Amino acid sequence: DGDEVLVLGALVDGLAGSRWAWDRGLRGGRVPDPDLTAVVDVAEFTRSLVAEGTAVATHDVGEGGLALALAEMAVAGNVGLEVPSGDPCPVVDTAGGWFGESAGRMVVGLTPEAVDGVRERANDAGIAMVSMGLAGGSTLRLGTTVTVDVDALREVRRRRLPDALGSGNVQT
């Protein structure tokens, strides 16, 4: 509770190649070409934050896009996040903004005291950094696109994991 949640790397607004879109029969579009230099820069920057103990939480943005990364972090940390909607929303508040996939993005959690220094370092390194807000509460609210209770997310994960692993139960 109280840590700031930030996204490192360029934000996207598109569903080409997205798992979320594929599962809904939306299979058109062109996946953006990855900027491999930017991917390495974000990875190295994140590694440095972890190595020095500045990052209190990290998660890659991969399959499922930013929405899934934030949901998995909420479950792991047992804490919600409310990203504002409307004009102050830090991402494009659409399915493409939340579920779009692209290479080279990371979500990091920082203590409030560390944010300004990390923001300056990211800026100096040419790495985009956008705040999603402060972790807290028991709800994951992503603009107007997603609203779900963290306990409900945990239950879905608990039920689906045994099926994904091909077994009948998981010790929790």
Side-chain angles (χ1 to χ4, degrees):
D1 264 351
D3 292 330
E4 189 154 353
V5 179
L6 303 114
V7 177
L8 301 174
L11 298 177
V12 300
D13 181 24
L15 292 171
S18 162
R19 172 64 187 261
W20 183 88
W22 183 269
D23 288 349
R24 284 155 183 77
L26 305 171
R27 300 187 175 137
R30 185 180 186 294
V31 177
D33 292 328
D35 177 344
L36 298 181
T37 300
V39 170
V40 170
D41 290 347
V42 168
E44 286 297 316
F45 189 76
T46 304
R47 185 201 54 75
S48 73
L49 295 176
V50 170
E52 67 197 27
T54 302
V56 296
T58 62
H59 199 297
D60 68 306
V61 179
E63 185 176 69
L66 185 54
L68 184 59
L70 293 171
E72 289 177 347
M73 287 183 82
V75 169
N78 195 33
V79 64
L81 173 68
E82 295 208 16
V83 181
S85 61
D87 194 24
C89 188
V91 300
V92 178
D93 192 14
T94 64
W98 293 112
F99 295 98
E101 298 173 19
S102 68
R105 292 187 294 162
M106 292 290 294
V107 179
V108 296
L110 303 173
T111 63
E113 301 79 38
V115 173
D116 288 340
V118 171
R119 188 179 313 281
E120 185 176 322
R121 288 171 52 197
N123 188 52
D124 290 347
I127 296 172
M129 185 170 107
V130 177
S131 175
M132 296 288 109
L134 298 178
S138 61
T139 301
L140 179 64
R141 184 181 321 278
L142 306 179
T144 59
T145 305
V146 174
T147 302
V148 63
D149 187 78
V150 174
D151 287 338
L153 288 171
R154 182 179 303 98
E155 180 59 23
V156 167
R157 184 172 184 216
R158 188 192 67 74
R159 281 195 327 262
R160 293 187 72 182
L161 190 57
D163 292 339
L165 297 174
S167 63
N169 66 40
V170 170
Q171 302 299 318
T172 58

